[in-house]
Amino acid sequence: MVSENSSTNEERLQQLKAFDQSKAGVKGIVDAGVTKIPSIFLHLGDDHSSFSSSQPTQTQFRIPVVDLTDTEHKRAEVVDGVRRAAESVGFFQVVNHGIPKRVLEEMLEATRAFHELPSEMKADYYTRDPMRKVRFVSSFHLYESRSANWRDSLLCDMAPEPLDPLELPAICRDITVEYSDKIYKLGLTLFELLSEALGLKSDHLLGLDCANGYIILGHYYPPCPEPELTIGTDKHSDANFLTILLQDNIGGLQILHENQWIDVAPVDGSLIVNIGDLLQLISNDKFVSVNHRAVTKTVGPRISVACFLRHMSLESLPRLYEPIKELTSEENPAKYRATTVKEYVGYHYNKGMIAGVSGLEYLKL
């Protein structure tokens, strides 16, 4: 006799497969005119009641803003701003970062344009094959997670192994190449500032290969008929060294600060920077990687483009990352054991995200 629970699980698996095999993503569901979200998107988290974007966070707190106008003559001031933000919040916005507004706007427009192509034109890019350097997908951990996310994504693995631009969809090819080049250079600058904020030489973090690899993720959050019942991106911290995020003016990003979800309001022309788990690890908790999420809205689509900086090439896999020796002492010993990037990413996704905790918890000494 088949139990009711196994029958429900089998039904859910069939729904997941049908959604995945459609290769149309969440946008395909919205285009079909649904007024109720499918059950696979019902979020079962313990804080689901707070998803509604119609109830903004009640706080005067705003994440810090760091002005990069003059990092040469105002170096100490800029480094101090980065240090305070990285230590206390784990998130900050950068303005006057040197990337033209045109490039930011065109990157958002091209990301939207790809996701709004007819489903049959996107289907060739839809895959869960991790070896594909360009892949269109909805919910990266669709079959492992308790619920699907109300979001479609285009992942572009830019480095360390160079990506052939011809692998990129033509509709967003040129601007993705231009944007990724500029955002990567900004990432190098940020790692120099973060190194100095730790009291180290400016090239210390770059010398650890923190910026040797990066991916660009173009997210598309369609309008949702029942935003209080699902989530665009689950609560999580990032399994990398650093993330640089470009978002449009719709909003939806929230960070968990002092046990309260805080809206990260869009600032025109700015980019959002957040500390990743691996940077918290090697800084021995001097910098903090905090939980964040993206809520859904009835309006949209919301577009965001994330740059994740971490080194995942084959030759880097044996490299061990541990708290930097200069940041430890008898009074402040190492808080984590050494790990490789590959091992940590495994902890993060296979244990941490499924259990709802940071992968760092599994590495604590």
Side-chain angles (χ1 to χ4, degrees):
M1 180 177 179
V2 179
S3 70
E4 182 179 345
N5 192 46
S6 31
S7 175
T8 301
N9 288 341
E10 179 60 29
E11 181 181 351
R12 182 174 185 275
L13 178 59
Q14 293 307 313
Q15 290 174 348
L16 291 172
K17 286 182 176 179
F19 169 69
D20 203 24
Q21 291 168 3
S22 75
K23 299 186 177 182
V26 178
K27 186 174 185 300
I29 295 174
V30 174
D31 289 347
V34 297
T35 57
K36 300 283 186 182
I37 65 171
S39 60
I40 60 173
F41 292 94
L42 289 173
H43 198 278
L44 306 176
D46 55 8
D47 58 351
H48 69 279
S49 61
S50 61
F51 287 167
S52 177
S53 57
S54 63
Q55 300 174 356
T57 49
Q58 300 298 317
T59 179
Q60 296 302 310
F61 177 81
R62 295 290 182 269
I63 70 169
V65 176
V66 177
D67 191 337
L68 300 181
T69 301
D70 190 354
T71 57
E72 182 179 351
H73 297 99
K74 295 183 178 179
R75 189 80 173 185
E77 180 182 336
V78 174
V79 169
D80 184 60
V82 168
R83 177 187 57 76
R84 285 185 283 109
E87 288 180 354
S88 62
V89 184
F91 267 75
F92 55 98
Q93 303 209 53
V94 291
V95 296
N96 299 313
H97 41 67
I99 301 180
K101 189 175 181 180
R102 170 196 64 83
V103 175
L104 304 182
E105 291 175 346
E106 288 185 13
M107 188 65 216
L108 290 171
E109 290 168 4
T111 299
R112 177 171 181 161
F114 168 79
H115 286 285
E116 293 185 350
L117 286 171
S119 295
E120 58 271 20
M121 295 182 68
K122 296 183 292 185
D124 287 344
Y125 294 98
Y126 194 96
T127 180
R128 296 190 181 277
D129 179 0
M131 301 309 293
R132 287 269 298 270
K133 290 179 70 66
V134 177
R135 52 191 189 268
F136 165 52
V137 72
S138 190
S139 290
F140 288 101
H141 304 281
L142 179 68
Y143 296 99
E144 298 81 13
S145 300
R146 290 180 293 177
S147 60
N149 286 334
W150 196 261
R151 181 199 72 215
D152 297 330
S153 304
L154 178 66
L155 181 150
C156 308
D157 187 349
M158 306 302 295
E161 285 77 30
L163 172 66
D164 181 352
L166 293 178
E167 293 187 49
L168 293 165
I171 199 166
C172 58
R173 180 179 300 149
D174 292 345
I175 189 59
T176 298
V177 171
E178 182 179 6
Y179 177 80
S180 65
D181 178 65
K182 293 183 184 302
I183 205 73
Y184 179 66
K185 288 177 181 175
L186 175 61
L188 299 181
T189 297
L190 289 168
F191 274 120
E192 291 177 346
L193 295 170
L194 288 161
S195 291
E196 293 177 39
L198 289 169
L200 305 168
K201 292 182 178 179
S202 62
D203 62 353
H204 195 106
L205 293 176
L206 294 177
L208 295 177
D209 292 338
C210 295
N212 278 25
Y214 69 105
I215 61 175
I216 299 292
L217 272 169
H219 294 309
Y220 184 93
Y221 300 84
C224 181
E226 297 179 296
E228 71 281 1
L229 298 180
T230 189
I231 191 81
T233 301
D234 283 299
K235 178 182 77 173
H236 70 288
S237 57
D238 290 347
N240 60 4
F241 291 102
L242 197 69
T243 301
I244 308 173
L245 180 76
L246 167 65
Q247 67 169 343
D248 64 13
N249 60 3
I250 288 181
L253 174 65
Q254 296 181 337
I255 68 168
L256 190 61
H257 180 69
E258 297 180 350
N259 295 316
Q260 185 176 11
W261 286 109
I262 307 296
D263 290 319
V264 180
V267 174
D268 190 43
S270 73
L271 291 161
I272 299 165
V273 180
N274 69 277
I275 305 300
D277 292 351
L278 291 169
L279 188 48
Q280 176 172 331
L281 185 153
I282 64 176
S283 72
N284 206 36
D285 283 355
K286 188 170 179 63
F287 292 163
V288 293
S289 174
V290 302
N291 281 319
H292 49 286
R293 68 184 188 182
V295 297
T296 56
K297 300 194 173 193
T298 55
V299 297
R302 173 182 179 253
I303 310 295
S304 70
V305 182
C307 174
F308 290 134
L309 290 139
R310 71 177 185 219
H311 194 181
M312 284 289 282
S313 70
L314 294 177
E315 58 267 26
S316 81
L317 295 183
R319 179 163 195 161
L320 289 173
Y321 285 97
E322 59 188 340
I324 295 169
K325 294 294 189 291
E326 290 87 341
L327 304 180
T328 63
S329 64
E330 287 188 15
E331 297 75 26
N332 183 38
K335 296 178 171 65
Y336 303 99
R337 69 171 178 83
T339 186
T340 64
V341 172
K342 181 179 181 180
E343 180 190 38
Y344 183 72
V345 170
Y347 275 123
H348 177 81
Y349 289 113
N350 299 327
K351 293 185 177 181
M353 287 194 75
I354 302 302
V357 298
S358 168
L360 291 174
E361 293 296 318
Y362 298 94
L363 300 176
K364 283 186 174 179
L365 294 172

